[in-house]
Amino acid sequence: MEENFQKAVAGRLTVRGEKTRSRIVTTAADLIRVRGVGGTTLDDVALVSKVSKSQLYRHFEDKPALVRAVIDFVGERRIAGERERLGNVRTFAGLRRWRDAVVETNALHEGKYGCSLGSLANEVADQDAIARKKLHELFTAWEELFADLLRRFQQDGLIPQDADIDQLATGFIAALQGGYLLAQTSRDVTPMATALDVSIAHLSLLSREPSEVV
């Protein structure tokens, strides 16, 4: 039903309508980032995005529909950014630079707000099956970026050919998300840095090159 609604809306949107929809989604994403899904109402979104409630409902039939659009928006932006940052990493030094950038970015708010996708998953995965599926697909795409990086490490002889790439990629995602959560609750990025350091150290040990060990 929602899919048909969104297709019908998309089919009749003008350029102005596209801009209005984009503004609503961007505003909702910003509010949810700070207040969470539960703490963000449609009234809040309408007020901050400077649209009427009737305008908002012309684009989204209810709050779950808007939240799903936010997941798409946040997810595409996050995966695109990680693809750019991880796509050319071919050395342990490059992987550590990625780690430093992630930790430093999260330190700007002392770990507050956590991971944009992880926070959404915590709030909606058990209440909205469609949203959960979207989030699962996004995390799978993110994990695949790590898997691609690790395959490059294999090709370049940095880790053994028999290393379990899928397992290692899952481990990186788990360390990253766990790090975000620990940093968020402690308001300190040190646990996040530690979690990522342990993952990189484990990878270094697989190389069996003492000089590579952290």
Side-chain angles (χ1 to χ4, degrees):
M1 182 177 178
E2 181 199 335
E3 184 178 353
N4 292 334
F5 176 85
Q6 293 299 335
K7 285 181 178 178
V9 169
R12 63 173 183 265
L13 280 182
T14 62
V15 173
R16 183 177 180 181
E18 286 279 9
K19 289 181 179 179
T20 299
R21 185 185 189 281
S22 178
R23 186 167 74 251
I24 291 170
V25 174
T26 302
T27 298
D30 290 340
L31 290 173
I32 288 171
R33 172 74 167 158
V34 176
R35 304 179 186 180
V37 173
T40 301
T41 67
L42 293 181
D43 286 331
D44 295 331
V45 176
L47 178 64
V48 178
S49 60
K50 298 180 180 179
V51 300
S52 66
K53 285 290 287 293
S54 62
Q55 279 181 296
L56 193 152
Y57 279 117
R58 276 202 292 272
H59 293 278
F60 303 99
E61 58 181 348
D62 52 24
K63 184 176 177 180
L66 176 57
V67 171
R68 292 165 195 160
V70 167
I71 290 171
D72 289 337
F73 171 73
V74 171
E76 289 170 8
R77 184 171 58 181
R78 187 62 194 254
I79 297 303
E82 286 293 77
R83 183 175 292 112
E84 181 177 349
R85 286 184 286 271
L86 291 170
N88 295 316
V89 173
R90 302 195 73 103
T91 64
F92 280 100
L95 185 56
R96 293 188 185 101
R97 284 194 293 272
W98 166 83
R99 170 266 192 211
D100 293 344
V102 170
V103 172
E104 287 169 10
T105 298
N106 204 31
L108 295 176
H109 300 288
E110 297 180 323
K112 194 175 181 181
Y113 311 132
C115 170
S116 53
L117 285 182
S119 296
L120 284 165
N122 286 336
E123 288 202 75
V124 307
D126 291 334
Q127 284 75 45
D128 186 335
I130 296 173
R132 186 195 64 77
K133 183 174 184 294
K134 287 177 178 288
L135 286 159
H136 173 68
E137 290 170 351
L138 287 165
F139 275 109
T140 298
W142 200 348
E143 188 172 328
E144 186 59 27
L145 294 178
F146 282 106
D148 288 342
L149 180 155
L150 293 166
R151 291 187 191 100
R152 292 194 297 274
F153 274 32
Q154 272 188 333
Q155 291 168 4
D156 294 343
L158 297 179
I159 59 175
Q161 293 300 310
D162 60 355
D164 190 326
I165 295 301
D166 291 337
Q167 185 183 72
L168 291 169
T170 298
F172 264 101
I173 282 289
L176 180 59
Q177 290 303 311
Y180 270 119
L181 181 61
L182 292 173
Q184 184 177 14
T185 54
S186 66
R187 292 295 189 268
D188 181 2
V189 297
T190 302
M192 179 188 206
T194 299
L196 293 175
D197 285 343
V198 169
S199 291
I200 296 173
H202 173 67
L203 197 62
S204 296
L205 288 170
L206 290 180
S207 72
R208 301 187 181 90
E209 293 290 340
S211 62
E212 291 285 5
V213 177
V214 175

